[in-house]
Each structure stands twice: as structure tokens, then as C-alpha cells.
Amino acid sequence: MVETTLAKKLVNNDFSEVMFKRQSVRKFDPAVTISRDELQAMIKEATSAPSACNLQSWHFVVADTAAGKAKAKSVMMPFNFPQTESCSAMVFVLGDTRSYESYRDVWNQACEDGRITPEKRDEIFKTFLPLYESASQEFLIKDATIDSSMAAMQLMLVARAHGYETNPIAGYAADKVATTFGLDPDRFVPVVALAIGKSVEAPIESTRYDAQNLTEFI
Ligand SMILES: Cc1cc2nc3c(=O)[nH]c(=O)nc-3n(C[C@H](O)[C@H](O)[C@H](O)COP(=O)(O)O)c2cc1C
């Protein structure tokens, strides 16, 4: 659980406003900087997201300097240059397909803290670890992609709660992302990048399909 002290610092704690007024912003005030403390706090808050077996298969690369943004721009498709150049930070959310290698740490900690018994911990290890240790790369990529998407969506809403706007971006050279940031491309899969900053535009109001036509009750 994220400490409630973090929630107290939110500048917008109105759920409806945060969620339903979110819109993709593509032009930010380039003069606005967000401190690394605040970026780190937002990521911490976003990682309260659920994840498969609590594997937390996500990883964040934050480009918040001129050099970092130049690297981010080098993988972007040109239509995403305006956001990349004007945002305060571009956060790449990547899936970690080897998160199961540190899986024991989370549950050993829970056990040490007295939140679960050693028997419960061992039962969790016995149930889930073989599943992941023998999983195909395709399975691991899918799992890591879902986990990371959960965290990314939370990060967009958390950013709004901190008074910022975002643009989710997948228009980049996915095959270049990990290597450009010095990460192992066999381990880390790019899921989405989030441009974060203060808006200087009135974004396009997007429409949605009628949810009734997309829903089946069985
Ligand atoms: C996975 C994903 C990838 C996206 N990639 C881009 C992108 O590369 N460039 C961009 O300008 N917007 C991108 N978007 C933003 C969508 O265009 C936007 O969410 C959609 O039009 C709905 O508008 P809204 O976000 O304002 O509600 C992406 C959104 C998602 C979820």
C-alpha cells in the first residue's frame, strides 16, 4: 500500500475530475520542470497497481534532461517530436520479463514483516514460481505488458492528481528502445511512453464508442 502521506500531497484529489477530464496533451510548456523527487513519487504511487502474482513486471526510464530527451527523440516517430521536445519528462514504461527472478524477495519480506506465515510463503513459491520459471518468452512478454499497462494507466491518473497532463505514446521504434537506454532487449520490452508536463493547449475532445455495443452479459 502506498503511504497515505503521499495522497495528502495531491493537488487534485477529485477522482471524477482526475479520471474523466484526462485527455491526451501534445503541447506542453517547455519551461516547466518536474523535480526528480516528484517524478519518483509519482512512479511510486503508480506502482500501487496490481500485477500478475504480484510480480510487478514493470520498469521505468525517465528522460528529463536535454540529453535524455535527445535519446527519447532518437526513437520517436516524427509526429511525436512536439510532445518529446516540450514535455517536462518522457517516461518509458517497459515490461520486465525476468521479474520472477526477484520474486522471492517480495514474499520473503512479507514473511519477515509477519504479514504471511512461512508456510503461506512456501505455498506461493510452489504454486507460482514453476509457472514462470518454465514459461515461454511469449507468455512472459504478455504478462509483463499487462502489468506495465496497469502501472502506466495509473501513472497518467497520478500525474493529473499532481496537476500535470500526459500523452501516452507507442509511436516509436520499439526495437530500438531498450538498447538506446542501455537495457537488455531480451529482458525489457517497451510497452508505452508517457509525456508528462503542463499543458499549453486545449486538447482535442475524443469520442468513444457506445459501451453497450461492446458489452455482452452472459
Ligand atoms: C497504446 C497507446 C499508444 C498511443 N500512441 C500515441 C502516439 O504515438 N502519439 C500520440 O500522439 N498519441 C498516442 N496515443 C494517444 C491516443 O491517440 C489517445 O489516447 C486517443 O486518441 C484518445 O484520446 P484521449 O487520450 O485524449 O482520450 C496512444 C494511446 C495509447 C493508449
Side-chain angles (χ1 to χ4, degrees):
M1 286 274 272
V2 175
E3 296 93 57
T4 45
T5 49
L6 289 173
K8 278 190 201 133
K9 289 191 200 135
L10 302 178
V11 301
N12 185 353
N13 211 355
D14 178 338
F15 176 80
S16 171
E17 221 280 328
V18 164
M19 171 134 167
F20 299 120
K21 296 277 169 62
R22 183 210 56 80
Q23 291 183 287
S24 285
V25 163
R26 297 178 175 86
K27 226 186 251 170
F28 299 93
D29 180 348
V32 172
T33 56
I34 306 176
S35 73
R36 288 196 167 177
D37 278 353
E38 187 170 18
L39 286 164
Q40 192 65 81
M42 288 195 279
I43 290 169
K44 181 182 169 78
E45 288 159 20
T47 57
S48 64
S51 62
C53 298
N54 201 21
L55 277 169
Q56 305 167 52
S57 309
W58 42 57
H59 193 79
F60 304 88
V61 174
V62 184
D64 67 338
T65 60
K69 284 202 213 161
K71 273 191 188 173
K73 193 176 165 189
S74 76
V75 298
M76 281 295 169
M77 292 180 184
F79 55 84
N80 288 321
F81 286 174
Q83 304 92 306
T84 312
E85 284 164 353
S86 66
C87 68
S88 305
M90 184 70 77
V91 181
F92 285 80
V93 186
L94 298 101
D96 180 0
T97 62
R98 307 253 178 86
S99 55
Y100 63 87
E101 287 176 1
S102 47
Y103 189 58
R104 284 180 178 83
D105 299 347
V106 173
W107 294 101
N108 281 334
Q109 188 65 54
C111 189
E112 257 174 54
D113 295 347
R115 282 181 277 125
I116 55 166
T117 62
E119 291 73 29
K120 179 69 188 164
R121 177 201 57 192
D122 293 345
E123 185 196 316
I124 291 167
F125 287 167
K126 223 169 69 198
T127 309
F128 296 118
L129 276 175
L131 196 74
Y132 284 92
E133 282 168 353
S134 63
S136 67
Q137 185 64 3
E138 188 192 6
F139 177 97
L140 295 171
I141 289 174
K142 185 167 153 261
D143 239 48
T145 303
I146 297 171
D147 286 0
S148 300
S149 303
M150 298 268 167
M153 186 67 242
Q154 293 223 138
L155 185 49
M156 282 189 274
L157 298 181
V158 161
R160 272 187 58 68
H162 279 246
Y164 304 110
E165 303 297 338
T166 59
N167 179 205
I169 291 176
Y172 48 60
D175 57 333
K176 295 206 178 83
V177 169
T179 46
T180 300
F181 300 138
L183 296 171
D184 176 0
D186 293 329
R187 172 171 177 174
F188 295 101
V189 289
V191 173
V192 70
L194 305 176
I196 304 180
K198 288 275 186 192
S199 174
V200 288
E201 69 169 4
I204 304 161
E205 222 170 279
S206 56
T207 49
R208 292 294 185 272
Y209 301 120
D210 185 340
Q212 266 191 351
N213 297 331
L214 312 168
T215 311
E216 291 173 43
F217 292 94
I218 57 166

